[in-house]
Amino acid sequence: MAIPRPTLAPATHPLERLPEEWAEVLVSWGEPAYRGKQVFDWIHRRGVFDPEAMTNLPKTLRARLAEEGLGLPLSLGKMHRASDRTRKLLVRMDDGKEVESVLIPMLERLDPDASDEDEIERLPGDVVTQCISSQVGCAMGCVFCASGVAGLKRHLSAAEIVSQVLLGRTLLEGEERIRNVVLMGMGEPLHNYENVARALVLLTHPEGIGLSKRRVTLSTSGLVPQIDRLGRDFGGQIALAVSLHSVSDERRSQIMPINRKHGLGELMACLARYPMPKRRRITIEYTLIEGVNDSLSEADALARLLARVPAKVNLIPMNPISGSSLGAPATEAVLAFQKRLFDRGLPAFIRKQRGAEVDAACGQLALHGAAPRKKRGLGLAV
Ligand code: SAH
Ligand code: SF4
């Protein structure tokens, strides 16, 4: 069965071209169409951006490609490396704006983010998950999120999204390979749908980087029409993570303004129709905020809400952000919440704070660093 592919807007950067788009360009330069695949292979599969090193291409074409410019549209600003080998990359785009991306070695035997059939798989330390950004800042305004508080600066292009992985690959150590990519960095990926869709096609192209679609996870705060579109465009193959964070419409609207537009009923109906392959589950992200969404009755309600959707829950104790008094519950409360979900038959994992010492836990990607929490409490003001 043919896997659906979205109709894409035209490529705006050479690194965004698919093999057939390269072929068109090359034919217009008087080259044979088959060279399209060769150029794509050099860039995306082999990670070679210097046309002079593309040894199976004629000299004239290499010179023409050099004129075109195949360099990455971003560079590594800084890299912080934690003792668990988690690496936070500060990525600088050509206009000077910065986003973050994180390389996370999968060291645990049991991978909390893996799908059912993967959960028994043993992960060698050389398997890496890369967390990437889709926007500079974010327009969604979630009150517990540093990107949301900062507001949207701009969308990333498809080239900038893919280039985070092309750059990430150059920073791997030993036998490491990037097996999973999660769009959980800065930004709301579905608010930048066109560019993200092209990036997904590029990242999963079998002749390029070649990630398996089920190993690419898109995390969204719940933009219902775009979730439907993603499901249609990729036949449900792209793994979906949804930030829920509350089972009460009133509370969710307070902490996630998107809920005022697409409430819980609408969101849950949308998730129920996401065309997922059999035995796969939607990841429900639930950031635990003390006094806001961490009661055991909320856990009960969460289990009830998810009873009819194949789902697993990732609990993320909230990382403190600058200027907000919101914070994580005590560890015992987090464990009690998890246990309650388990008791209600819902698989729930607590997301480890990998790389926390370099302020690089996924979902903690900020325009400015996290500050120590001032006080704990119910106040929702930021
Ligand atoms: N915009 C998308 C993806 C990026 S955020 C989304 O919201 O899903 C990735 C995850 O980190 C989301 O579940 C988000 O709610 C969570 N997150 C954001 N700020 C956080 C914080 N301060 N502490 C813990 N998790 C946070
Ligand atoms: Fe945007 Fe996600 Fe942060 Fe909400 S949690 S503001 S959607 S990045």
Side-chain angles (χ1 to χ4, degrees), residues 290 318-328 370-377 381-382:
E290 185 182 40
M318 186 191 150
N319 296 303
I321 62 164
S322 167
S324 169
S325 60
L326 300 175
R373 189 182 326 155
K374 283 181 205 115
K375 68 172 179 64
R376 293 180 165 195
V382 290

Side-chain angles (χ1 to χ4, degrees), residues 144-145 184-185 187-188 219-221 243 245 285 287 318-319 321 363:
F144 50 83
C145 173
M184 289 185 187
E188 167 51 58
S219 173
T220 178
S221 56
S243 299
H245 308 328
E285 293 164 284
T287 294
M318 186 191 150
N319 296 303
I321 62 164

Side-chain angles (χ1 to χ4, degrees), residues 175-187:
E175 295 295 299
E176 283 182 341
R177 67 195 168 90
I178 297 170
R179 193 191 63 173
N180 311 297
V181 164
V182 295
L183 282 112
M184 289 185 187
M186 195 184 283

Side-chain angles (χ1 to χ4, degrees), residues 61-381:
L61 176 54
R62 285 190 245 161
R64 184 71 182 79
L65 287 170
E67 260 173 56
E68 184 85 350
L70 301 183
L72 295 181
L74 44 75
S75 60
L76 181 65
K78 259 191 231 153
M79 180 163 81
H80 298 280
R81 191 178 183 284
S83 53
D84 66 2
R85 273 197 286 132
T86 297
R87 278 142 283 167
K88 179 173 90 162
L89 323 178
L90 191 67
V91 173
R92 183 165 305 133
M93 263 104 40
D94 285 348
D95 66 355
K97 295 222 165 24
E98 289 174 337
V99 291
E100 288 172 329
S101 181
V102 191
L103 293 167
I104 311 159
M106 306 310 288
L107 301 173
E108 295 90 7
R109 289 264 160 98
L110 294 176
D111 175 3
D113 287 330
S115 64
D116 305 357
E117 62 268 36
D118 297 327
E119 264 152 25
I120 47 167
E121 185 185 338
R122 288 172 179 228
L123 289 163
D126 56 13
V127 167
V128 171
T129 295
Q130 185 171 7
C131 175
I132 60 174
S133 295
S134 57
Q135 297 178 313
V136 185
C138 182
M140 298 298 128
C142 303
V143 299
F144 50 83
C145 173
S147 310
V149 172
L152 179 67
K153 307 290 183 237
R154 73 166 171 88
H155 294 306
L156 295 196
S157 67
E160 288 167 335
I161 298 169
V162 171
S163 293
Q164 292 170 63
V165 178
L166 296 173
L167 177 70
R169 275 200 319 205
T170 68
L171 301 166
L172 296 176
E173 300 173 5
E175 295 295 299
E176 283 182 341
R177 67 195 168 90
I178 297 170
R179 193 191 63 173
N180 311 297
V181 164
V182 295
L183 282 112
M184 289 185 187
M186 195 184 283
E188 167 51 58
L190 294 184
H191 183 215
N192 184 15
Y193 189 90
E194 302 281 332
N195 292 333
V196 165
R198 182 174 277 275
L200 292 173
V201 171
L202 287 162
L203 290 169
T204 59
H205 199 290
E207 288 160 38
I209 298 171
L211 290 167
S212 149
K213 288 198 179 65
R214 65 195 187 95
R215 299 205 189 281
V216 177
T217 303
L218 183 147
S219 173
T220 178
S221 56
L223 279 67
V224 167
Q226 288 88 337
I227 296 174
D228 283 334
R229 188 172 170 195
L230 183 78
R232 270 197 313 276
D233 281 352
F234 293 90
Q237 299 285 316
I238 299 290
L240 189 65
V242 175
S243 299
L244 204 62
H245 308 328
S246 177
V247 293
S248 131
D249 264 317
E250 196 190 343
R251 188 36 67 90
R252 192 166 188 269
S253 293
Q254 278 178 313
I255 59 174
M256 302 179 72
I258 184 72
N259 194 68
R260 292 172 209 155
K261 196 163 173 199
H262 303 293
L264 281 168
E266 206 193 318
L267 178 58
M268 295 315 294
C270 168
L271 299 188
R273 63 179 177 255
Y274 191 72
M276 254 186 328
K278 281 205 183 78
R279 291 195 303 278
R280 309 270 310 161
R281 286 186 259 174
I282 293 176
T283 302
I284 298 293
E285 293 164 284
Y286 198 96
T287 294
L288 281 166
I289 310 172
E290 185 182 40
V292 172
N293 62 4
D294 60 342
S295 71
L296 292 180
S297 60
E298 189 112 6
D300 291 337
L302 180 60
R304 277 198 301 278
L305 188 70
L306 295 177
R308 272 174 295 140
V309 180
K312 58 183 166 168
V313 178
N314 269 0
L315 298 171
I316 320 167
M318 186 191 150
N319 296 303
I321 62 164
S322 167
S324 169
S325 60
L326 300 175
T331 308
E332 307 80 71
V334 173
L335 293 172
F337 196 94
Q338 179 193 30
K339 181 172 183 309
R340 186 61 79 98
L341 293 180
F342 263 126
D343 290 347
R344 298 274 181 273
L346 197 59
F349 304 91
I350 298 171
R351 190 181 292 171
K352 288 243 180 67
Q353 300 295 298
R354 302 293 309 281
E357 74 203 76
V358 292
D359 190 15
C362 226
Q364 199 183 350
L365 305 178
L367 290 174
H368 31 254
R373 189 182 326 155
K374 283 181 205 115
K375 68 172 179 64
R376 293 180 165 195
L378 277 159
L380 288 169

